[in-house]
């Protein structure tokens, strides 16, 4: 085989039907799946649930992407990117499902790029800035513990598409939670500085936690995980101090709009473009 | 004794067999490899920055996922390469310090800015393309761990190049503004990409020895020529113009003639005066410094765990 082989074939196979990079094409990711909403399911409620879960995932992925080239070690670059990619993948599937369920037929990009902050339904914990590595880890621990417990329930949702998305997500989220828990223990147990920072991160996260439990009842599971991790890390359980308002109702911190401005800027500058 | 070892080493090289970590090797061979592999690893890590800037701004979720995965691959390449350097007795933390202190270099291409999303496509096409030209021959490099790392890296680079070209194809079918973005990015990246193959052969100080050791298999000028010959038809197919008035087919040679890159510019960028040198180094330095407490915490926790395990075993 010639050294040049891989390069020489580059321009071949780029006809319209062969845009193959990352999957087989530009169709929606649920292509080939029966996407009719089953009888007895409130399609608008289903769509709203999918949008909220997708918004959590997209906003989290965006914050994780901000870590790239800034992580404390190369292994963490790889791991945080991996988690971000998983969440981005979940967001794409959930937006597609929402577009089918709400009858608008919108695609994933319509939801991600052409809604304003007030239309986003993510929890505020996902949107607040990354802070230091301890804050990002504690936030990831909370969000992934909650999302894993919630997805385990959703895996038996009467909508087969959402159930399948959740079942796939469970495997990913189990890894996210494990990654965050291991780091929380290392940081809590490690040095005085890492202990202090992690303790502070727990306090900073606490006000945003209540919002997670408004729509689903997985509080006991999440508290149990948190108890186990803080015990192993030698950290106190955070005291819950609820913050008024809820991202689930479109009430956000001042941090969401700038996050979306960055995410949406190029797409909105070229609304007629194809990417 | 050393003479015998040297003879054995020379014979291994001349039979095109691989040198492995525990084999005897001349100090110069070891030093050259550590320098080359470390520079390559640093390039992967610094190379995450110009494109990484666009992950948060990618204009579709599909492009966001592709770019995110690509930049993640680059971190992975950096990891394998630092590991390959460690088989020669180098230490990753030490190599990172050398990078941060400016004692070791990375590819000068990453000192140019990314001005639009089309740059992501052009970097894939040109920069990953040039990397493939440089690196595919390294899969036959005489040092085993390096050659094997290159096999995997080249497969991924080839994928990166394809996604870049595919993005450009898509943009060229889009709006006029998108076509202009692509041409503008091609204009800015063409000459720096030609410089990626290094200075011309008659002023490349380390090349001859590396060729003799079969660490390197083709000269800089030969690789540059190949890159030009392969890229010209791809540019035609894409519908962009390469910004070189001297570029034309030479039927006699059966290759393209092309203009001379601005070697003074290359030297300036290598010496630290490129458009983004300071910015790239500052990002890497601050990530490393701000991450110090995290790495210290991990080390402290591991030591405490070990002590607890020992205490448990005694009890």
């Amino acid at each position: 085989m010639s050294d040049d082989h891989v390069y020489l074939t580059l321009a071949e196979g780029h006809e319209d039907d062969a845009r193959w990079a990352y999957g087989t094409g530009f169709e929606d990711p649920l292509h080939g799946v029966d996407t009719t909403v089953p009888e007895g399911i409130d399609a608008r409620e289903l769509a709203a649930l999918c949008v909220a879960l997708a918004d959590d995932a997209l906003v989290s992925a965006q914050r994780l992407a901000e870590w790239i080239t800034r992580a404390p070690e190369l292994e963490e670059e790889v791991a945080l990117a991996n988690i971000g990619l998983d969440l981005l993948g979940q967001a794409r599937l959930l937006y597609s499902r929402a577009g089918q369920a709400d009858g608008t037929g919108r695609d994933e990009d319509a939801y991600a790029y052409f809604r304003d902050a007030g239309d986003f339904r993510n929890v505020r914990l996902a949107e607040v800035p990354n802070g230091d590595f301890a804050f990002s880890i504690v936030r990831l621990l909370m969000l992934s513990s909650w999302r894993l417990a919630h997805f385990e329930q959703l895996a038996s949702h009467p909508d087969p598409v959402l159930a399948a998305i959740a079942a796939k997500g469970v495997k990913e989220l189990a890894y996210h939670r494990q990654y965050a828990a291991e780091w929380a223990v290392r940081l809590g147990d490690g040095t005085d500085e890492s202990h202090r920072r992690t303790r502070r991160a727990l306090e900073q996260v606490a006000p945003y936690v209540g919002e997670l439990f408004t729509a689903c009842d997985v509080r006991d599971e999440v508290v149990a995980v948190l108890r186990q991790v803080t015990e192993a890390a030698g950290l106190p359980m955070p005291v819950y101090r609820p913050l008024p308002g809820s991202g689930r109702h479109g009430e956000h911190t001042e941090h969401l709009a700038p996050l979306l401005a960055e995410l949406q800027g190029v797409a909105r500058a070229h609304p007629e473009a194809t990417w | 004794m050393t003479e015998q070892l040297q003879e054995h080493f020379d014979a291994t090289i001349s039979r095109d067999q691989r040198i492995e970590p525990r084999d005897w090797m001349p100090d110069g061979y070891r030093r050259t490899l550590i320098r080359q592999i470390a520079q390559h690893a640093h390039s992967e890590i610094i190379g995450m920055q110009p494109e990484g800037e666009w992950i948060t701004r990618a204009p579709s979720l599909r492009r966001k996922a592709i770019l995110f995965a690509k930049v993640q691959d680059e971190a992975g390449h950096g990891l394998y390469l630092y590991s390959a350097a460690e088989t020669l007795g180098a230490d990753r933390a030490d190599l990172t310090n050398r990078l941060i202190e400016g004692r070791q270099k990375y590819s000068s291409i990453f000192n140019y800015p990314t001005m639009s999303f089309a740059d992501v496509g052009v970097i894939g096409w040109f920069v990953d393309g040039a990397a493939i030209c440089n690196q595919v021959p390294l899969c036959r490099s005489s040092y085993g761990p390096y050659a094997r790392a290159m096999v995997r890296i080249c497969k991924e680079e080839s994928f990166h190049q394809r996604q870049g070209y595919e993005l450009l194809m898509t943009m060229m079918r889009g709006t006029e503004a998108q076509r202009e973005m692509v041409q503008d990015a091609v204009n800015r990246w063409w000459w720096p990409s030609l410089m990626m193959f290094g200075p011309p052969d008659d002023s490349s100080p380390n090349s001859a020895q590396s060729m003799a050791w079969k660490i390197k298999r083709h000269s800089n000028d030969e690789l540059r020529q190949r890159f030009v010959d392969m890229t010209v038809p791809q540019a035609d197919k894409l519908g962009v113009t390469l910004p070189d008035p001297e570029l034309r087919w030479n039927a006699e040679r059966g290759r393209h003639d092309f203009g001379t890159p601005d070697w003074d510019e290359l030297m300036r960028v290598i010496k630290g005066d490129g458009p983004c040198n300071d910015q790239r180094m500052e990002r890497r330095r601050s990530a490393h410094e701000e991450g110090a407490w995290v790495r210290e915490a991990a080390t402290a926790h591991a030591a405490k765990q070990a002590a607890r395990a020992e205490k448990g075993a005694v009890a």
Side-chain angles (χ1 to χ4, degrees):
Chain A
M1 190 185 83
S2 151
D3 285 350
D4 302 335
H5 175 76
V6 283
Y7 199 153
L8 285 172
T9 58
L10 179 67
E12 291 163 20
H14 279 282
E15 307 317 318
D16 279 347
D17 56 350
R19 297 162 74 191
W20 47 269
Y22 281 77
T24 51
F26 284 163
E27 299 145 30
D28 76 81
L30 299 178
H31 178 75
V33 178
D34 179 7
T35 53
T36 332
V37 177
E39 296 263 336
I41 294 180
D42 182 332
R44 280 180 49 189
E45 243 174 57
L46 173 64
L49 174 60
C50 289
V51 167
L53 291 171
D55 287 348
D56 284 345
L58 177 63
V59 170
S60 298
Q62 185 77 356
R63 287 295 184 212
L64 287 163
E66 292 172 8
W67 270 108
I68 301 308
T69 73
R70 294 177 177 87
E73 191 54 285
L74 296 181
E75 283 81 353
E76 274 43 69
E77 297 276 358
V78 175
L80 295 169
N82 204 37
I83 295 168
L85 273 164
D86 285 345
L87 291 169
L88 186 55
Q90 292 178 12
R92 296 178 66 188
L93 292 166
L94 289 161
Y95 284 137
S96 293
R97 186 54 178 155
Q100 292 150 358
D102 70 9
T104 59
R106 278 180 286 178
D107 67 9
E108 57 184 37
D109 289 337
Y111 286 98
Y113 292 94
F114 296 96
R115 286 180 306 143
D116 294 332
D119 300 323
F120 272 72
R121 291 291 177 270
N122 58 284
V123 291
R124 288 170 293 180
L125 182 56
E127 76 203 28
V128 289
N130 280 339
D132 64 4
F133 189 69
F135 181 81
S136 284
I137 285 295
V138 170
R139 163 170 52 192
L140 181 64
L141 177 65
M142 287 308 309
L143 286 176
S144 59
S145 301
W146 170 80
R147 196 170 174 89
L148 175 59
H150 192 25
F151 271 42
E152 279 168 347
Q153 289 181 345
L154 291 174
S156 50
H157 193 276
D159 176 43
V161 176
L162 177 56
I165 296 170
K168 178 177 184 285
V170 161
K171 294 173 203 141
E172 297 166 346
L173 293 162
Y175 164 71
H176 305 176
R177 189 181 73 176
Q178 185 191 336
Y179 175 81
E182 285 173 358
W183 266 113
V185 171
R186 272 183 212 119
L187 296 179
D189 182 53
T191 61
D192 288 347
E193 179 177 12
S194 67
H195 181 87
R196 177 178 57 75
R197 286 176 183 259
T198 313
R199 191 172 175 152
R200 180 161 168 71
L202 279 164
E203 288 162 12
Q204 288 169 331
V205 156
Y208 298 105
V209 171
E211 212 171 304
L212 290 167
F213 305 114
T214 47
C216 67
D217 188 22
V218 292
R219 183 189 292 268
D220 292 347
E221 284 101 311
V222 175
V223 169
V225 169
L226 201 58
R227 198 177 297 284
Q228 196 187 341
V229 173
T230 48
E231 207 172 284
L235 289 161
M237 276 291 275
V239 181
Y240 172 56
R241 289 175 289 116
L243 199 68
S246 171
R248 293 280 187 243
H249 303 132
E251 294 154 349
H252 292 285
T253 66
E254 73 274 29
H255 304 294
L256 182 62
L259 177 147
L260 292 177
E262 184 173 348
L263 189 150
Q264 298 170 334
V266 179
R268 287 188 177 203
H270 301 273
E272 304 297 317
T274 22
W275 306 99
Chain B
M1 180 66 183
T2 309
E3 254 169 62
Q4 274 179 326
L5 289 167
Q6 179 76 47
E7 269 171 37
H8 181 74
F9 172 86
D10 291 343
T12 307
I13 297 280
S14 71
R15 283 197 306 269
D16 262 339
Q17 287 177 339
R18 294 272 166 81
I19 305 297
E20 295 297 338
R22 291 176 186 204
D23 294 345
W24 182 89
M25 61 190 87
D27 289 343
Y29 178 86
R30 188 185 296 275
R31 268 198 312 275
T32 301
L33 268 170
I34 290 177
R35 186 183 54 113
Q36 180 172 336
I37 297 173
Q39 263 178 228
H40 190 167
H42 300 331
S43 301
E44 295 282 358
I45 299 308
I46 298 289
M48 294 165 71
Q49 291 182 31
E51 288 181 284
E53 294 298 315
W54 289 89
I55 299 173
T56 56
R57 293 181 281 173
S60 76
L61 294 186
R62 177 174 171 276
R63 291 293 171 198
K64 200 183 194 63
I66 292 171
L67 185 57
F68 214 156
K70 183 188 168 181
V71 175
Q72 182 191 33
D73 282 349
E74 286 161 1
H77 295 174
L79 275 173
Y80 319 147
L81 287 164
Y82 284 123
S83 301
E86 287 188 328
T87 66
L88 291 158
D91 169 64
R92 199 213 297 183
D94 173 56
L95 296 177
T96 301
N97 284 331
R98 283 168 191 261
L99 169 67
I100 287 170
E101 290 161 14
R103 289 186 287 142
Q104 278 181 341
K105 302 285 184 199
Y106 54 89
S107 177
S108 57
I109 192 79
F110 301 118
N111 290 317
Y112 291 86
T114 44
M115 308 301 284
S116 82
F117 198 71
D119 289 43
V120 168
V122 173
I123 288 176
W125 179 29
F126 286 170
V127 177
D128 293 307
I132 290 168
C133 286
N134 269 330
Q135 292 170 10
V136 169
L138 295 177
C139 299
R140 296 185 291 121
S141 167
S142 59
Y143 187 59
Y146 190 33
R148 288 187 289 274
M150 291 319 301
V151 172
R152 181 161 171 191
I153 290 174
C154 284
K155 285 183 186 166
E156 293 180 353
E157 295 290 3
S158 163
F159 199 48
H160 297 169
Q161 194 200 20
R162 285 179 166 261
Q163 65 77 29
Y165 194 70
E166 192 261 348
L167 168 61
L168 298 177
M169 280 290 208
T170 307
M171 290 184 72
M172 291 302 284
R173 280 193 292 249
T175 62
E176 195 49 41
Q178 285 184 292
R179 280 187 285 279
E180 282 168 17
M181 283 162 77
V182 174
Q183 183 63 56
D184 172 61
V186 165
N187 294 348
R188 285 181 287 106
W189 288 95
W190 174 248
W191 290 109
S193 299
L194 290 188
M195 296 178 199
M196 282 180 71
F197 298 95
D201 293 345
D202 51 24
S203 54
S204 178
N206 302 314
S207 284
Q209 179 62 70
S210 288
M211 300 266 285
W213 275 331
K214 295 183 184 171
I215 292 173
K216 195 171 162 160
R217 317 279 318 208
H218 304 284
S219 79
N220 294 353
D221 287 334
E222 169 57 22
L223 290 167
R224 190 165 15 247
Q225 177 74 55
R226 283 189 195 200
F227 174 77
V228 172
D229 289 336
M230 288 190 287
T231 306
V232 169
Q234 292 166 3
D236 288 344
K237 179 149 185 170
L238 193 58
V240 296
T241 309
L242 299 173
D244 179 0
E246 294 175 51
L247 181 67
R248 63 180 57 82
W249 177 248
N250 181 328
E252 210 172 295
R253 289 203 305 133
R255 313 198 85 167
H256 291 87
D257 293 337
F258 56 98
T260 308
D262 181 351
W263 298 123
D264 293 341
E265 176 180 322
L266 177 64
M267 289 308 138
R268 279 198 304 276
V269 178
I270 289 177
K271 290 206 173 92
D273 287 331
C276 303
N277 296 58
D278 293 345
Q279 180 184 333
R280 302 289 182 239
M281 289 295 280
E282 178 51 31
R283 170 70 63 82
R284 186 70 195 96
R285 187 182 303 117
S286 65
H288 190 69
E289 286 171 2
E290 283 162 29
W293 70 269
V294 177
R295 297 189 299 275
E296 283 158 18
T299 309
H301 170 69
K304 286 182 186 177
Q305 285 287 83
R308 285 190 281 254
E310 201 173 312
K311 205 172 163 191
V314 171

